[in-house]
Amino acid sequence: DKDFTDTELALSTAVEHASGGDLLVIGGVDSTDPRLDHVLGTLAALGHETLAEFATVTAVIGTDELHVVHSGRTATVQIDAGQTFSLLALHGPIEGVTTAGARWPLTSATLQANRARGVSNIADGPVTLTVGTGVLTMVIP
């Protein structure tokens, strides 16, 4: 009987003890009982504004790697050339999205939560992501 998921409680504890470092969240997906609701809840929690104090926010969920970039931040993700990745606006619209190191770069783009414009890009090597406003989620399958 609680109002927050275990992930939200863990993230809250991380924020309490943070000093602007990097955040790494490891989560498994039970292949015998995959709970999409729990995965979606974790994705939602990663966009919480309190996590913006971390230099980087990375999550490994099952076999997927996620990088969450909050407003006003730039992140460089070490990714192999040829690797597929997607950019998603899971937490609402994002403005000023600029990428470098992608086959199809973006320059001051706007991504919408109800559109799939950023799905299935290809890395040329490390990818740099810059976000003006909003929360960007990069998924590396």
Side-chain angles (χ1 to χ4, degrees):
D1 296 333
K2 59 187 179 187
D3 291 332
F4 301 99
T5 66
D6 291 341
T7 299
E8 289 173 307
L9 294 171
L11 292 174
S12 177
T13 299
V15 168
E16 288 175 21
H17 295 90
S19 59
D22 300 319
L23 176 66
L24 173 61
V25 177
I26 307 284
V29 176
D30 184 350
S31 61
T32 61
D33 183 23
R35 292 284 308 267
L36 180 59
D37 55 339
H38 282 264
V39 173
L40 292 173
T42 297
L43 294 175
L46 290 172
H48 197 274
E49 63 270 6
T50 59
L51 299 183
E53 75 176 71
F54 290 100
T56 64
V57 177
T58 304
V60 177
I61 301 174
T63 59
D64 296 319
E65 182 178 328
L66 293 85
H67 298 270
V68 180
V69 185
H70 289 262
S71 291
R73 295 281 189 159
T74 296
T76 298
V77 177
Q78 298 304 316
I79 182 173
D80 293 333
Q83 174 70 49
T84 299
F85 70 91
S86 293
L87 302 177
L88 302 169
L90 299 177
H91 305 93
I94 311 166
E95 295 181 356
V97 177
T98 299
T99 62
R103 181 172 294 167
W104 299 286
L106 299 173
T107 304
S108 296
T110 298
L111 298 179
Q112 298 293 336
N114 60 353
R115 302 271 194 264
R117 178 178 179 201
V119 172
S120 290
N121 206 330
I122 306 292
D124 291 333
V127 174
T128 300
L129 309 167
T130 301
V131 175
T133 60
V135 178
L136 177 70
T137 301
M138 175 191 215
V139 179
I140 305 170

